[in-house]
Amino acid sequence: MPEQSRLSKALWISAGIHIGAIVILALGISFEDKPAFTPQAPSAPAVQAVMIDQKKINDRVEQLKQQKRDTERKEQQRQAELERKAREAREAREQELNKIKQLEVERKLKEVEVQKANEAAKASKIKQQLEKEKAQKAETERKQIEQQRKASEEAAKKAAEKRKQEEAAAAKKAELERKQREDERKRKEEAERKRKAEADAKARQEQEMADAMADEHAALSQTRNRQVLSEVDKFTAMIKATIQRNLVVDESMRGKSCKVLIRLANDGFVTASQTLEGDPVVCRAAKNAINKAGRLPVSPEADVYNKMREINLTVSPEFN
């Protein structure tokens, strides 16, 4: 009975120690040092039971330590996981912030791109407008140049036509002047020929007049009543002859005449001459011939002069 009592006591002690160790482990108390427990010297079976229980306790303590270590390891792992998750959360948040910033940058860049696109579109529109205006201006300038070219060509054509006409007119004028010079040369040659002929005729007429006057004087000396011509007719004929000698004629005067009035001084000086009627050309030539003569034959006899002081003559050009 005492033996069973001691065994029960040992078991209760072992159970108490075990429970205490568990409590201590639960409270975080280390059992590195063995408890100072000095039991009374048990009997051999009790000591053996205590030793067995102590081993179980040690095993349990080691198990609890292992569990603690596992718990600490798991806690560390949990803390590490929490830190990892926190870090990942921070990184995710930073990434999100970075993404937000990137999105903001992209948004701003997009706005800039849109603005640039708008500005580019506006610039393109302005460029297109400028190119359109430039094209319109170029077209206007081209049309102006074309008009100027056509105007220049037209002006050149007109100038060429005008030059051609001027050249033709100049050639015609030159030909006309040549003909006029030729006609003038022929006229001068004809005038010279006529002058010589008139000079010869004048000489003949003067000779004839002299001969006539001589004959007349001779006849008058014989008898005045037998004169072929009266003194007036004679001097009239002489005056006509003088005018005829100084008369410049041409073919346009053929068959034409002019009636003139002449006033004479007693010495035969022409004091006045006037064309009365007839061909204008012949009248001009007759008046020129009278002025050229200056003096006309008159009778020294007063009665004859008085009848010839103012005479009317008809001048008709004579042609050889």
Side-chain angles (χ1 to χ4, degrees):
M1 198 61 181
E3 185 69 19
Q4 291 180 350
S5 176
R6 285 194 298 271
L7 182 59
S8 297
K9 185 178 180 180
L11 289 174
W12 281 107
I13 291 169
S14 177
I17 292 170
H18 186 263
I19 293 169
I22 292 172
V23 171
I24 291 170
L25 287 174
L27 295 175
I29 298 172
S30 176
F31 278 89
E32 293 296 329
D33 294 327
K34 292 182 179 180
F37 176 71
T38 305
Q40 292 179 0
S43 60
V47 172
Q48 186 178 4
V50 170
M51 292 178 64
I52 292 171
D53 290 338
Q54 184 63 42
K55 183 177 184 296
K56 290 181 179 179
I57 290 171
N58 291 335
D59 291 338
R60 182 59 181 168
V61 169
E62 187 63 30
Q63 183 180 8
L64 292 174
K65 286 182 179 180
Q66 185 63 40
Q67 289 178 353
K68 181 181 179 182
R69 285 194 294 270
D70 292 339
T71 301
E72 289 177 352
R73 181 178 57 77
K74 290 180 179 179
E75 180 64 21
Q76 289 177 355
Q77 290 178 350
R78 188 182 68 80
Q79 291 294 331
E81 182 67 15
L82 291 175
E83 290 178 358
R84 183 187 66 77
K85 290 182 178 180
R87 185 173 61 255
E88 289 178 354
R90 285 195 303 272
E91 291 176 355
R93 184 170 178 276
E94 289 177 357
Q95 290 177 358
E96 186 68 21
L97 290 175
N98 291 332
K99 186 175 181 181
I100 292 172
K101 290 181 180 179
Q102 183 65 28
L103 290 174
E104 182 66 18
V105 171
E106 291 177 357
R107 184 186 65 79
K108 290 182 178 180
L109 290 175
K110 189 69 175 179
E111 289 179 354
V112 172
E113 290 177 358
V114 171
Q115 184 177 0
K116 287 183 178 180
N118 292 333
E119 292 176 354
K122 185 177 180 181
S124 177
K125 187 175 181 181
I126 293 173
K127 183 178 180 182
Q128 290 177 356
Q129 182 66 25
L130 291 175
E131 289 178 352
K132 183 178 180 181
E133 292 176 356
K134 184 178 180 181
Q136 291 176 348
K137 183 179 179 181
E139 180 65 15
T140 302
E141 290 177 352
R142 186 192 66 76
K143 289 182 179 179
Q144 290 177 349
I145 292 171
E146 182 67 16
Q147 291 176 353
Q148 291 175 357
R149 183 187 65 78
K150 289 182 179 180
S152 298
E153 290 178 353
E154 186 67 21
K157 183 178 179 181
K158 289 182 179 179
E161 291 178 354
K162 183 179 180 181
R163 184 173 64 254
K164 186 176 180 181
Q165 292 174 356
E166 289 176 349
E167 290 175 353
K172 185 176 180 181
K173 183 179 179 181
E175 179 65 18
L176 180 62
E177 290 176 351
R178 186 191 67 77
K179 288 184 178 179
Q180 288 176 346
R181 289 194 297 272
E182 183 67 17
D183 293 342
E184 182 67 16
R185 183 185 64 78
K186 290 181 180 180
R187 186 187 66 77
K188 287 181 178 180
E189 290 178 354
E190 183 65 18
E192 182 63 19
R193 185 188 65 77
K194 287 183 179 181
R195 187 189 65 76
K196 290 181 179 180
E198 289 173 357
D200 294 341
K202 182 179 180 181
R204 287 195 303 272
Q205 288 176 355
E206 289 176 351
Q207 185 62 42
E208 289 174 356
M209 184 175 65
D211 293 341
M213 289 179 69
D215 293 340
E216 188 68 20
H217 285 296
L220 287 173
S221 64
Q222 294 178 3
T223 177
R224 192 173 183 81
N225 294 328
R226 291 166 56 187
Q227 294 177 348
V228 177
L229 297 172
S230 67
E231 286 291 315
V232 173
D233 291 338
K234 181 183 69 175
F235 282 93
T236 299
M238 293 170 64
I239 290 170
K240 285 184 177 182
T242 301
I243 294 172
Q244 197 67 233
R245 285 195 303 272
N246 291 283
L247 187 67
V248 178
V249 298
D250 57 45
E251 286 298 321
S252 65
M253 298 180 183
R254 188 180 292 275
K256 299 177 182 178
S257 63
C258 180
K259 188 175 182 180
V260 296
L261 171 64
I262 303 174
R263 292 186 178 89
L264 300 171
N266 57 5
D267 61 351
F269 183 79
V270 178
T271 58
S273 64
Q274 181 181 355
T275 58
L276 300 177
E277 60 182 12
D279 182 77
V281 178
V282 178
C283 289
R284 283 195 301 272
K287 193 165 185 179
N288 290 335
I290 293 169
N291 292 333
K292 184 178 180 182
R295 292 179 186 276
L296 296 176
V298 294
S299 174
E301 295 179 10
D303 56 343
V304 177
Y305 168 73
N306 289 333
K307 290 182 179 180
M308 298 184 65
R309 178 178 295 175
E310 186 175 298
I311 60 174
N312 290 330
L313 294 176
T314 299
V315 177
S316 298
E318 296 177 357
F319 295 86
N320 296 329

